[in-house]
Amino acid sequence: MKEVLLSNCERNFVNKAVEQGIRLDGRNLLEARPVNIYFGSNWGSCVVLLGQTRVVAQVTCDIQQPKTSRPNEGMVRINVELNPLAAQHFDSGKQQPEFSVLISRQLEKCFQDSKCIDLESLCIIADKKVWNLRVDINIINHDGNLIDCASIATLAALSHFHRPDVTSNGEDIIIHPFSEKDPLPLTLYHYPVCVSFITFESGNTIMDPTYLEERVGVAQLTLGINSGDSEEEATETLQVKDLLQ
């Protein structure tokens, strides 16, 4: 099913409002929506609400052989799924895989390339066994700014996650259940998040756009930042605009 087309009246109304410094939900141009985080009973499980945008995140782990180029480091994979319940146009065509890959790559830049996770602490036996972390992001309601909401969910899930303790004698590995040994949290060096902006025809720029504002805007900018640096990474993702419409 294709998404409903945006009428000229709606487009003109949003453009005129932003030009006058007004947003439909009453926020200032550079004001973000409230964030609510709910943690599940399992380690690394959480639900994040950014306004009406809703994302579920789950971190899991297993033991694998490390990459030959990094024999003493664990691995992290981020997978994004666009649930058909989130938006009516997520269940057809090539838009879903392309858009999900785009969000995954942005999250990988934010969390992997910034080296916020201590991957060496995930090594069990160098060149043989390491922990492999998998972060599954499921978009269950789309009301704009999926990248920011997904980045908050990823950070919250990683911060909440605990892995089993292991014992190794060099050959055999014993994975201790939580009832036997306390689980171990991940070591995070810093806490990166994504912050997105939309620019309109008038030249005005807003923060944390809704879905309607994303469709009306002409360009999108997403920054990956943390508390240590004023700007960790700045990537102009104009292709996001094409995939959203």
Side-chain angles (χ1 to χ4, degrees):
M1 181 185 297
K2 295 182 180 180
E3 63 180 330
V4 178
L5 295 177
L6 187 66
S7 67
N8 289 331
C9 290
E10 291 175 302
R11 188 180 300 274
N12 294 335
F13 182 78
V14 174
N15 274 320
K16 191 66 175 179
V18 173
E19 186 178 355
Q20 298 177 1
I22 302 172
R23 301 179 70 173
L24 301 185
D25 54 9
R27 286 184 288 153
N28 297 326
L29 296 186
L30 298 179
E31 180 182 352
R33 291 172 289 181
V35 178
N36 293 298
I37 303 176
Y38 304 94
F39 292 100
S41 57
N42 297 327
W43 291 117
S45 174
C46 70
V47 179
V48 173
L49 280 70
L50 180 60
Q52 295 300 317
T53 298
R54 186 185 298 255
V55 170
V56 176
Q58 176 66 64
V59 180
T60 55
C61 65
D62 61 353
I63 297 177
Q64 295 187 11
Q65 186 172 350
K67 297 178 180 179
T68 55
S69 58
R70 298 187 179 275
N72 62 335
E73 292 185 0
M75 298 176 289
V76 179
R77 293 184 174 88
I78 300 176
N79 178 60
V80 177
E81 294 291 337
L82 305 179
N83 195 305
L85 295 176
Q88 59 184 0
H89 58 285
F90 280 169
D91 60 351
S92 63
K94 296 182 178 180
Q95 184 168 7
Q96 176 172 351
E98 289 181 3
F99 192 28
S100 62
V101 168
L102 179 65
I103 299 176
S104 298
R105 288 177 178 174
Q106 186 68 27
L107 294 177
E108 288 174 356
K109 291 179 181 179
C110 188
F111 290 92
Q112 293 183 2
D113 295 356
S114 67
K115 302 184 185 303
C116 75
I117 305 174
D118 182 9
L119 296 180
E120 291 186 358
S121 66
L122 300 178
C123 179
I124 301 174
I125 303 176
D127 204 28
K128 292 184 178 181
K129 299 293 182 180
V130 298
W131 285 108
N132 172 59
L133 301 180
R134 177 184 172 94
V135 185
D136 288 298
I137 304 294
N138 199 321
I139 310 295
I140 59 177
N141 193 58
H142 179 14
D143 189 32
N145 205 5
L146 294 181
I147 292 179
D148 288 16
C149 191
S151 73
I152 297 172
T154 302
L155 178 59
L158 289 172
S159 301
H160 183 253
F161 180 72
H162 287 58
R163 64 173 177 82
D165 196 1
V166 296
T167 301
S168 171
N169 58 8
E171 295 294 336
D172 298 328
I173 297 175
I174 301 175
I175 302 177
H176 300 282
F178 293 166
S179 59
E180 183 176 313
K181 283 193 175 183
D182 292 336
L184 303 176
L186 300 177
T187 301
L188 302 180
Y189 293 128
H190 52 83
Y191 304 94
V193 292
C194 293
V195 181
S196 296
F197 302 86
I198 284 281
T199 300
F200 290 81
E201 294 177 352
S202 62
N204 286 355
T205 299
I206 66 172
M207 178 183 179
D208 183 22
T210 63
Y211 179 52
L212 179 59
E213 291 169 337
E214 285 181 338
R215 297 183 65 188
V216 177
V218 295
Q220 178 166 341
L221 175 70
T222 298
L223 304 177
I225 61 176
N226 61 47
S227 58
D229 300 320
S230 59
E231 183 173 320
E232 173 76 16
E233 180 180 348
T235 306
E236 190 170 0
T237 54
L238 297 179
Q239 65 269 33
V240 173
K241 176 63 183 172
D242 299 330
L243 291 172
L244 286 172
Q245 290 190 328

